[in-house]
Amino acid sequence: MSSRPSTAQRRLLKEYRELLREPTDGIVAGPVDENNLFKWNCLLVGPPGTPYENGVFRATMTFPKDYPLSPPKLKFDSPILHPNIYNDGTVCISILHPAGEDPMMYESADERWGPLQSIEKILLSVCSMLAEPNPNSPANVDAAKLWRDNREAFDEIIRKQVVKTLL
Amino acid sequence: MSDVEGDDPEEEEYDESFEDSYAEDSEFEYEDEEYLDEDNMEKVEVEYTYPTSETKMGTLTHRMKYEPVDVEDVQRSLEEKVKQLDTILQIGTDECRILLMRYNWNDDKLLEDFTNESLDKFFEGSGLSKNSKPVGGWDLIEQKTDESFECHICFSSPSKDQPLAVFRLGNCDHPFCIRCYVKYIQEANANSRLLIPCPEADCGLIIRLSELQQLSDYGWKERERAREEKRKETEKQSRVPLTEEEIRQKYQRDQIEAELSEFSDLEIGEGETGENEEEKKVKVEPKNKADDTDEDPEAKLFNFQERILVQEREERERRRNQTLLSKYWFNVASKYCSKHCKSFKNCPFPDCDSLIMQQGFDSNVVATLEEFTKRQLIPTVQCSHKHEFCYSCLKGDHSPCPCSIAEKWEKKCKDDTETAHWITANTKDCPECSMPIEKNGGCNHMQCRNCNYEFCWVCLKDWACHNNSYFNCTKYVEDIGEAKTAQEKSRKSLERYLFYFRLFDNQRSSLSKDRELLEQFEGKIQEMQKKSSVSWIETLFYRESVDVLLQARRELMWSYAIMYYIDPKCPKQLVEGVQCTLSHQVEKLSRLFADTEVNAVLQQKAKFLNYSNTVKKSRDLLRETYLDCIANGVVKLTRK
C-alpha cells in the first residue's frame, strides 16, 4: 500500500483530472510519468493571428514540493523567439513570480502567483503572452530589440521555428 | 553643563556605597582632590553620546541623543502609534494598523489622504472592508461537514465522519481549509510580507491582526494537541510489544510524517520549539552545575559572558518564531527598523541583536549624522548589552579618534603589518641582562625575573624615573629640520609611524590581556559571592573599575592613532601631556588589578574606587582636550 499523498500531489492530481475532463483549446498538459506528478509535459498551440500561429510548442513544467504555495517553473523545449522567453526557453512572466515583498505590489495580485492560480491559468497567460509580448521587461534583449525595430525579420524567424515544431 | 540632568539609579547606588566606604575607612587616602567633584557625579536620563554639551575649554559641542532598544520595544512603540491613530480616526485598531503599514507609518500623510478622499474609496484602495465587522470569539473557524465544500488550495473536502476545519476572514466569504491558511501565512511570514491578502486573488482584503491572532491560537492549540497525542502514543508503544498490524500502521504513519515534514519545514520546526523549551532548560541546568565544580575554570570562564549572550539570543529567537503572530510582529518591527534605517541601527557585535534608536541631536546646528561626523565628533553609543560602538561607522568604539582617521589608521596598520610585525616582535630583551622577556599582563611596569631589574616596557628605561613624574616615554621627539634627503624623510616617516604603532599595538595587546585576566577574576569573584555573604552590590565597584580600565585603555590606544595624523608643525604638547597623565594612571590601575588577590579585593575597595575615579577624570579630560584641539584648529589632521 502506498503512503498517503501530500497536499501538492493531491492538488496536482486534481488539476490533471480537471484538465482531462474539460480540455481547453490550444492547451494539452499532463505528468511525464504517473509516479512523479511534479514534472509535467505541456503542448501549446500558437495563438491564431500571430506569427506563432499553427506552431505546436513543447514545454516542461516543474513543480516545487510546496506547490501551490510556491509557483512552478516553465521551460520551452522547442526553440522559440520571444522577448519574454530566455534563450534557454525559461519563461519570464508575472504569474510565475511569487507575490512581491513590496506591499504595494498587491494591486496586481491577480497577475502574480498565489495558491489559487492553476496550471491552466498559467498556460493561458503564456498563450496571451505569445500574442502580446511585454517589451518593458524583456528576458531576451535581442529578441525585444528585433521585435521593436524590425518586426518583419522577427516574424520570419518565428515562422521558421513554427515549421520546425511541426516536423 | 548639561541641561538634562537626572540620577541614574545604578550610579546612585554606586555613589552611596562609595561614600559609605569612605566614611568607614578613615585611613582612606585619595590622590586626586578633585575626584569627588560634582561634575563627575552627574548623570543624564536620556543617553547621550559623548561629549557633554560644553567642554572644559568652553567649546560648544554637539551630542546625539539615543536609546538602546530591542525589537520588542519597537513593537510596543508601534502599537502605541496605532492606538493614537485610532483615537483620531475611530475605525478600529486593526484597520489603523493596516493603514499605517501601507503608509510606512507616516501618519501625517495618512491623515492628509484620509481627509481628502472619500472614506469608501480610501478603504477599498487599502484592502479594508467598507462595513467592517469586528472579530470576536471563534466565529472565523468553522467545522465544515458539507461534503460539497472543497478547499480551493488543496482540494480536500470534508467526509461524513471527518469534518474539515475551515477559516475565512471576517469581512469576506472565501473559506479555505485551516491547514492551508496556516501554511499560506507561514509562507508570507517567511518572505516577511506584512500586508497579507486573502488567498482569493479578486478579494484583495488584507488579513487583520485579530484574525491572525485566531489563526495563530488555533495553530498553537493544534500543535499542542498533536504533541500530546504523540507523547501518549510513544508511552503506549514503549510499554506494550507491537503486533504485526501495529508495526505496519506505525510504518505508514512514519511515512506520512516524513512527507509532511518535507512539505513544511517551518511547521515542524515550530512544533518542536515548544518541546525543546523544557529540554533546553534541563540541559542548561546541569551545565551550570557543572560549571561550579568544573576542573578547568579558565576555559569556560573565558566565554562565560558570551555564552549567556548566545543563550539569551536563542531564547529570544525561539520566542519570536513560536507562533504565527509573534513571527508576524517581529517582521513588522524589523521591517519598520530597516525602513527607518537612519534612526535604527543594529549592534554590530556578534550574537547581539539589540538596536540603537537615534533620537536627534542636542544642538541647533547639527541635524544629521553626516553633519555630526563632519565635525570630527564620534557618536559612540552603548547597546543594552553594554557593547560600545560607533553609530556612524558601526565599528567598535574608537573615541577620541574621528571615524575618518580611525579608518585610515586601520587601513595603514593592515598595509604595514608585515614590517610592523617583524619589528614589534612579541618579546623584548631586558635592558639590564638581555634576557628575552614576554609580557604577560597589561601593566607596563616590568620586572625581570632574572636580574630583578625594574623597567618600563615602552621605553625600556629604569622604572624609577617613571614613578613620580609623567610618562615621558609616550612623547615623540620631533626634529623636522634634520630630515634632508627623501630617503631620510621616508625613514623618518616610517619611524614615526612605527613609534605610534608600537604604542597603539602595545595598548591593544594590553587591553586584550587585561580583559583575559579580568574575566578570570570575574569568575573568582562570583565564586566568592556564593561562598561568603558578599552581596552583588558590594562587588559592583569592581566591575565598574574593570569597565573604566578597559575603556581608558581603548581610548588611549586610539589617541595614539590620532597623534600620527597630527600635523608635526602643530603644537601638541597639550594633548601629549594629557595622554601621559592618562597613561600613567591607567598603568597604576592595571597594576592594582594585577597585584590584588581575589580575597583581598574588598579590602582594597577604596583604592580601586580612588584609582578608577582618577582614570575616569583623566579620560574625560583626554576626550575633551582632543575635541577642543581639533574643533578649534589648534591641531590639524593633515597626514594622508
Side-chain angles (χ1 to χ4, degrees):
Chain A
M1 192 185 135
S2 73
S3 60
R4 209 180 71 167
S6 71
T7 309
Q9 284 169 321
R10 251 181 299 150
R11 158 119 183 194
L12 285 168
L13 200 64
K14 184 89 183 181
E15 285 199 54
Y16 182 40
R17 267 197 224 127
E18 286 292 315
L19 277 171
L20 288 182
R21 206 159 53 87
E22 288 173 23
T24 315
D25 282 347
I27 293 169
V28 184
V32 178
D33 173 5
E34 298 265 312
N35 291 322
N36 180 12
L37 288 170
F38 291 97
K39 197 172 178 188
W40 284 34
N41 271 339
C42 315
L43 288 176
L44 286 175
V45 177
T50 69
Y52 300 96
E53 188 172 0
N54 296 328
V56 180
F57 298 94
R58 270 179 295 113
T60 316
M61 206 182 257
T62 0
F63 297 90
K65 285 273 188 285
D66 61 349
Y67 180 80
L69 291 176
S70 302
K73 285 192 176 67
L74 183 66
K75 191 177 167 184
F76 272 98
D77 299 326
S78 330
I80 181 166
L81 186 74
H82 189 279
N84 304 111
I85 300 176
Y86 288 98
N87 272 332
D88 70 346
T90 310
V91 181
C92 177
I93 185 171
S94 63
I95 198 172
L96 291 180
H97 295 165
E101 284 220 330
D102 184 23
M104 287 305 179
M105 284 316 266
Y106 123 89
E107 269 111 15
S108 57
D110 49 336
E111 292 166 14
R112 290 193 158 242
W113 180 255
L116 291 184
Q117 302 286 20
S118 65
I119 298 168
E120 192 188 351
K121 281 191 199 155
I122 295 173
L123 293 177
L124 281 174
S125 307
V126 172
C127 278
S128 60
M129 182 196 81
L130 289 182
E132 287 169 35
N134 173 12
N136 294 325
S137 65
N140 183 341
V141 182
D142 296 335
K145 222 176 144 199
L146 199 65
W147 182 80
R148 199 186 57 205
D149 300 339
N150 191 349
R151 190 67 62 86
E152 269 169 33
F154 180 82
D155 291 355
E156 190 52 41
I157 296 173
I158 289 163
R159 271 193 285 276
K160 273 181 193 156
Q161 286 176 338
V162 167
V163 173
K164 265 185 208 158
T165 66
L166 298 173
L167 291 177
Chain B
M1 203 97 333
S2 135
D3 48 347
V4 187
E5 283 176 36
D7 283 314
D8 188 302
E10 217 178 277
E11 193 65 22
E12 211 170 33
E13 273 157 5
Y14 160 71
D15 287 343
E16 268 168 25
S17 70
F18 170 61
E19 279 174 39
D20 278 352
S21 78
Y22 169 57
E24 280 163 22
D25 193 351
S26 54
E27 285 166 26
F28 169 50
E29 300 168 5
Y30 46 90
E31 309 209 354
D32 194 334
E33 289 275 342
E34 283 173 343
Y35 84 100
L36 266 175
D37 193 318
E38 283 303 306
D39 276 15
N40 230 10
M41 301 303 170
E42 70 161 66
K43 275 285 159 181
V44 285
E45 238 168 34
V46 185
E47 297 201 40
Y48 285 100
T49 55
Y50 207 80
T52 49
S53 44
E54 211 170 319
T55 64
K56 285 235 167 73
M57 323 289 167
T59 321
L60 189 72
T61 51
H62 316 274
R63 300 181 295 179
M64 190 181 87
K65 290 186 228 170
Y66 74 97
E67 197 182 332
V69 291
D70 57 15
V71 179
E72 280 72 21
D73 292 331
V74 179
Q75 272 176 26
R76 275 191 289 276
S77 69
L78 291 182
E79 203 54 354
E80 274 305 305
K81 223 172 176 179
V82 168
K83 275 184 199 143
Q84 248 173 32
L85 185 71
D86 189 41
T87 53
I88 305 170
L89 298 186
Q90 301 282 350
I91 51 168
T93 47
D94 275 338
E95 278 72 15
C96 289
R97 199 174 295 112
I98 290 176
L99 287 177
L100 275 170
M101 281 195 242
R102 222 175 241 307
Y103 279 86
N104 266 328
W105 302 91
N106 182 348
D107 36 6
D108 295 339
K109 176 96 173 61
L110 196 161
L111 284 172
E112 197 188 312
D113 284 7
F114 188 82
T115 42
N116 287 345
E117 276 176 50
S118 83
L119 198 66
D120 287 2
K121 210 176 152 195
F122 185 67
F123 266 38
E124 229 166 77
S126 311
L128 297 169
S129 171
K130 276 176 278 182
N131 28 17
S132 161
K133 283 172 265 172
V135 192
W138 287 83
D139 57 349
L140 300 180
I141 296 166
E142 194 187 338
Q143 298 288 342
K144 282 249 183 205
T145 47
D146 178 14
E147 280 180 54
S148 61
F149 173 79
E150 190 177 59
C151 165
H152 285 250
I153 297 179
C154 64
F155 289 126
S156 40
S157 303
S159 62
K160 264 180 199 154
D161 45 339
Q162 237 187 347
L164 188 72
V166 297
F167 179 85
R168 61 180 178 81
L169 300 188
N171 294 321
C172 72
D173 195 26
H174 302 119
F176 296 97
C177 95
I178 200 157
R179 253 185 83 84
C180 290
Y181 230 115
V182 167
K183 275 186 195 133
Y184 175 69
I185 304 289
Q186 275 172 357
E187 197 252 358
N189 265 347
N191 293 323
S192 37
R193 282 167 65 198
L194 301 183
L195 297 166
I196 307 169
C198 164
E200 184 71 51
D202 315 329
C203 176
L205 283 184
I206 303 289
I207 186 164
R208 291 176 291 173
L209 198 77
S210 35
E211 288 160 340
L212 192 69
Q213 169 101 51
Q214 284 201 10
L215 208 53
S216 174
D217 288 350
Y218 182 85
W220 178 250
K221 277 189 186 156
E222 279 295 291
R223 278 202 304 275
E224 290 290 317
R225 201 175 51 82
R227 205 175 299 141
E228 183 67 14
E229 262 173 28
K230 203 176 162 190
R231 197 180 55 80
K232 273 185 190 159
E233 231 162 70
T234 43
E235 259 178 29
K236 215 164 70 186
Q237 276 166 14
S238 57
R239 265 184 248 134
V240 195
L242 299 176
T243 65
E244 211 169 295
E245 177 62 23
E246 276 172 336
I247 291 175
R248 192 157 63 231
Q249 276 174 2
K250 186 178 181 317
Y251 174 69
Q252 278 168 17
R253 213 171 31 237
D254 285 353
Q255 253 192 336
I256 292 168
E257 264 175 30
E259 252 176 59
L260 288 181
S261 69
E262 202 174 61
F263 186 163
S264 152
D265 297 319
L266 196 73
E267 193 185 53
I268 300 297
E270 272 183 22
E272 277 175 358
T273 44
E275 209 169 19
N276 276 348
E277 186 181 8
E278 278 172 36
E279 276 176 32
K280 243 187 201 164
K281 270 184 196 158
V282 178
K283 263 184 215 158
V284 169
E285 264 175 75
K287 237 188 194 170
N288 282 345
K289 271 178 198 158
D291 282 351
D292 297 344
T293 52
D294 207 317
E295 304 271 20
D296 180 22
E298 277 184 36
K300 103 208 150 196
L301 281 172
F302 184 62
N303 34 25
F304 181 72
Q305 277 167 331
E306 270 170 51
R307 215 181 53 216
I308 289 183
L309 202 63
V310 172
Q311 270 176 14
E312 277 177 1
R313 184 198 161 98
E314 277 171 359
E315 165 66 22
R316 271 199 303 279
E317 252 168 31
R318 196 187 59 72
R319 218 170 43 227
R320 279 166 195 166
N321 287 324
Q322 207 165 34
T323 62
L324 288 181
L325 195 69
S326 59
K327 174 82 180 150
Y328 180 77
W329 257 120
F330 176 71
N331 281 344
V332 171
S334 43
K335 200 134 199 180
Y336 177 80
C337 296
S338 64
K339 278 263 160 68
H340 298 79
C341 58
K342 283 241 165 96
S343 10
F344 288 96
K345 276 186 185 170
N346 277 315
C347 172
F349 278 69
D351 288 318
C352 183
D353 54 357
S354 38
L355 291 157
I356 296 288
M357 178 164 68
Q358 199 239 67
Q359 295 174 317
F361 293 89
D362 172 25
S363 156
N364 39 17
V365 191
V366 174
T368 64
L369 194 61
E370 287 79 41
E371 282 169 16
F372 187 78
T373 45
K374 226 181 193 173
R375 287 168 185 263
Q376 312 281 25
L377 298 171
I378 310 108
T380 303
V381 293
Q382 198 183 44
C383 84
S384 45
H385 291 101
K386 300 232 174 245
H387 296 141
E388 287 192 324
F389 62 95
C390 169
Y391 191 80
S392 169
C393 62
L394 293 180
K395 282 181 189 140
D397 177 26
H398 53 71
S399 63
C401 194
C403 292
S404 53
I405 298 288
E407 198 188 327
K408 268 187 212 165
W409 175 256
E410 277 193 336
K411 192 166 176 288
K412 181 152 182 76
C413 288
K414 225 179 235 168
D415 294 346
D416 294 349
T417 331
E418 293 300 310
T419 350
H421 266 277
W422 184 77
I423 297 165
T424 49
N426 292 321
T427 60
K428 285 184 185 176
D429 292 348
C430 168
E432 195 70 7
C433 64
S434 298
M435 189 77 154
I437 292 171
E438 190 194 7
K439 193 146 119 67
N440 63 352
C443 180
N444 282 329
H445 183 175
M446 305 299 289
Q447 190 171 24
C448 178
R449 281 274 162 84
N450 195 34
C451 63
N452 281 337
Y453 177 68
E454 288 182 45
F455 64 97
C456 164
W457 182 258
V458 177
C459 62
L460 297 175
K461 278 180 196 146
D462 194 352
W463 186 258
C465 63
H466 288 79
N467 251 346
N468 38 22
S469 68
Y470 287 147
F471 265 15
N472 282 314
C473 47
T474 57
K475 284 183 190 169
Y476 180 69
V477 188
E478 299 271 2
D479 41 359
I480 306 153
E482 283 183 23
K484 279 171 198 157
T485 64
Q487 198 188 2
E488 255 177 37
K489 259 185 200 160
S490 84
R491 197 175 56 87
K492 272 261 157 354
S493 153
L494 182 69
E495 202 179 88
R496 184 187 155 100
Y497 164 68
L498 282 175
F499 179 80
Y500 285 119
F501 179 76
R502 265 191 225 113
L503 287 172
F504 181 86
D505 199 47
N506 179 41
Q507 223 32 269
R508 190 166 50 187
S509 69
S510 293
L511 184 67
S512 72
K513 274 171 192 153
D514 268 349
R515 194 176 284 140
E516 266 172 50
L517 197 78
L518 296 173
E519 258 163 27
Q520 287 174 25
F521 249 65
E522 173 77 23
K524 284 180 193 160
I525 287 223
Q526 275 174 359
E527 250 171 64
M528 195 175 78
Q529 246 170 330
K530 275 175 204 153
K531 277 179 200 156
S532 57
S533 57
V534 183
S535 69
W536 179 81
I537 210 85
E538 276 176 87
T539 54
L540 193 67
F541 78 94
Y542 187 80
R543 268 172 216 116
E544 296 230 4
S545 312
V546 168
D547 285 346
V548 168
L549 175 65
L550 296 182
Q551 208 191 17
R553 277 220 187 272
R554 200 168 49 224
E555 282 189 18
L556 204 52
M557 179 176 109
W558 281 106
S559 74
Y560 294 131
I562 308 186
M563 290 307 286
Y564 173 70
Y565 289 98
I566 283 181
D567 194 326
K569 283 168 197 128
C570 288
K572 54 184 181 179
Q573 288 83 348
L574 181 64
V575 281
E576 272 181 342
V578 181
Q579 214 172 30
C580 290
T581 322
L582 182 59
S583 178
H584 180 57
Q585 280 151 357
V586 162
E587 294 310 329
K588 244 164 79 179
L589 184 58
S590 179
R591 180 85 195 185
L592 181 66
F593 272 105
D595 283 352
T596 312
E597 292 289 321
V598 186
N599 306 331
V601 161
L602 283 178
Q603 284 88 341
Q604 299 280 3
K605 186 175 178 177
K607 242 186 180 177
F608 270 108
L609 286 169
N610 189 359
Y611 282 15
S612 58
N613 265 301
T614 330
V615 169
K616 230 189 209 159
K617 273 199 80 76
S618 315
R619 186 200 64 198
D620 288 355
L621 189 69
L622 180 83
R623 281 177 177 176
E624 280 169 12
T625 315
Y626 269 89
L627 272 168
D628 265 343
C629 289
I630 293 168
N632 293 335
V634 175
V635 293
K636 284 179 197 126
L637 305 172
T638 52
R639 272 167 192 269
K640 277 163 205 161

